[in-house]
């Protein structure tokens, strides 16, 4: 190994980033708030591995989707030849777990999970190659009530997080038979306008023409606007499901925009699809999206089971919380300064007694003068500095100094110090 190699500074891989301690309080607020809201609706946590069989995503997400064709991190395990993939989304793994463990045997299930997902995408604000999602899935509910429940849940979450001005976009993409008929009319229409199709649209024309509707190419927008609408191909049952969803959203006062071009990027969806979008994050405006996927459980080896779910892009929600000035603090209650041999020996016991009382205490470590320790106490953001010197140890007292706002330094015993810190 050369000296140059030994001294090389490593950096994170492009699209894989560090969440630093200064950022984690707001992340924790986001995650804790989501957990609380999900619990209010009766959703239970499930935890799946981040590595799954590659074929799981080909069969669920769709062979002709961008995710499978261009974005998955896949490899062959050299030890046993298994074809494996870092999960690009969570629904497929959750369905796999539900089928493998027969979770719906005793009735419907409401589940949620969180963790990193992986896609080899162009890195930009709000889009990373390792990104984090909260996924929510409901199995065994066939009416529009659970579709509405999940959308209402998200509306409650945005309010709890201090996020406003997000728009709900809604569509129905019908069932498989209705979509097949629509697909034929769509191909016919686009074939009449091939001169306007870009290379990506031409590639998708016969494999996945619905995805052309989602194109952002400005040159194609007028032509796409004139394309047939899937909602015009819905049967009575599918239409009634969609009307039932809209009626439930109307009843609780949730506004929505009907978007006939909304199809989502995954093949497993049917009937309801929805997205919550914002204009404050540029092109990465979708912060949550989902819909029904009634055929996926059977496709992955289970019994026919209606299902509905969504994913929340946590990086984008985090950015939106910052945009709205949402803050979160994680400062300790106290910073414990110790000066002198007796104080150094006694500080650990004192810190534990304070923690036993439910207080958060940063105990100074590493020595240093009283002045340098007080500077560190100030930088810690603690509400109080607790000063323990040899005199205080001998007198069984602690000096308590307020660090924020006005207030005099006082000397008190342990019980009084606990009361002072808890009431101020």
């Amino acid at each position: 190994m050369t000296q140059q190699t030994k001294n090389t500074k490593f950096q994170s891989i492009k699209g894989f980033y560090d969440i630093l301690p200064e950022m984690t309080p707001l992340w924790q607020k986001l995650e804790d708030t989501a957990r609380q809201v999900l619990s209010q609706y009766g959703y239970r946590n499930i935890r799946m591995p981040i590595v799954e069989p590659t074929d799981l995503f080909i069969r669920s997400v769709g062979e002709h989707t961008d995710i499978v064709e261009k974005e998955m991190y896949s490899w062959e395990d050299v030890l046993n030849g298994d074809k494996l993939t870092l999960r690009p989304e969570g629904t497929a793994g959750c369905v796999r777990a539900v089928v493998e463990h027969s979770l719906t045997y005793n009735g419907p299930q409401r589940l949620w999970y969180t963790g990193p997902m992986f896609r080899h995408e162009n890195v930009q604000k709000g889009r990373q190659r390792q990104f984090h999602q909260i996924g929510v899935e409901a199995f065994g509910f066939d009416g529009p009530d659970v579709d509405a429940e999940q959308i209402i849940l998200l509306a409650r979450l945005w309010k709890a997080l201090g996020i406003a001005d997000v728009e709900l976009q809604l569509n129905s993409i019908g069932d498989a038979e209705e979509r097949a008929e629509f697909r034929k009319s769509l191909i016919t229409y686009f074939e009449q306008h091939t001169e306007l199709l870009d290379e990506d649209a031409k590639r998708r024309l016969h494999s996945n023409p619905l995805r052309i509707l989602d194109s952002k190419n400005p040159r194609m927008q007028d032509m796409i606007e004139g394309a047939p609408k899937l909602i015009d191909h819905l049967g009575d049952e599918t239409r009634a499901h969609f009307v039932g969803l809209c009626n439930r959203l109307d009843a609780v006062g949730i506004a929505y925009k009907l978007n006939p071009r909304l199809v989502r990027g995954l093949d497993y969806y049917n009937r309801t699809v929805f997205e919550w979008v914002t204009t404050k994050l540029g092109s990465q405006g979708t912060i949550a999206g989902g819909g029904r996927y009634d055929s996926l459980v059977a496709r992955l080896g289970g019994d026919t089971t209606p299902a509905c779910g969504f994913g929340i892009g946590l990086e984008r929600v985090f950015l939106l919380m910052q945009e709205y000035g949402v803050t979160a603090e994680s400062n300790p209650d106290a910073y414990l300064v110790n000066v002198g041999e007796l104080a150094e020996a006694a500080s650990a016991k004192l810190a534990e007694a304070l923690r036993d009382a439910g207080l958060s205490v940063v105990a100074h470590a590493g020595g240093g003068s009283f002045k340098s320790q007080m500077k560190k106490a100030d930088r810690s953001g603690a509400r109080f500095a607790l000063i323990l010197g040899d005199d205080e140890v001998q007198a069984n007292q602690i000096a308590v100094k307020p660090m924020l706002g006005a207030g005099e330094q006082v000397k008190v015993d342990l019980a009084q110090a606990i009361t002072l810190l808890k009431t101020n």
Side-chain angles (χ1 to χ4, degrees), residues 11 13 24 38 48 76 83 125 127-128 150 168 173 180 196 199 204 208 216 226 267 312 315 369 375 379 407 418 422:
Q11 293 186 323
I13 302 166
T24 52
L38 287 161
M48 302 92 65
E76 183 175 310
K83 290 181 170 56
K125 182 179 179 181
R127 173 180 281 181
Q128 300 289 334
Q150 293 185 354
L168 171 62
I173 59 172
L196 295 176
E199 290 306 312
R204 287 172 163 162
N208 198 355
K216 302 300 187 290
D267 278 0
I312 305 171
E315 277 80 3
S369 66
K375 285 182 178 179
R379 287 198 297 268
I418 290 171
K422 284 192 168 185

Side-chain angles (χ1 to χ4, degrees), residues 338-359:
N338 60 80
V339 182
E341 291 184 12
L342 293 177
E344 286 183 16
S347 65
K349 183 178 179 180
L350 173 60
E352 288 306 297
L354 293 164
R355 291 169 186 143
D356 286 343
L359 296 164

Side-chain angles (χ1 to χ4, degrees), residues 12 27 75 79 154 220 271 357:
S12 61
W27 270 95
W75 71 97
L79 299 178
L154 280 166
M220 294 170 51
R271 296 199 178 186

Side-chain angles (χ1 to χ4, degrees), residues 28-38 40 156-157 160-161 321:
Q28 289 169 334
K29 181 171 185 173
L30 165 55
E31 293 162 346
D32 291 345
T33 303
R35 287 188 191 97
Q36 182 179 6
V37 171
L38 287 161
Q40 287 183 290
R156 179 177 292 274
L157 178 60
L161 291 173
M321 291 171 70

Side-chain angles (χ1 to χ4, degrees), residues 58-78:
I58 294 174
R59 288 173 57 188
S60 59
V61 174
E63 187 174 1
H64 298 293
T65 58
D66 282 352
I67 291 175
V68 171
E69 288 183 338
K70 300 186 291 187
E71 297 172 359
M72 293 202 312
Y73 286 91
S74 300
W75 71 97
E76 183 175 310
D77 189 335
V78 296

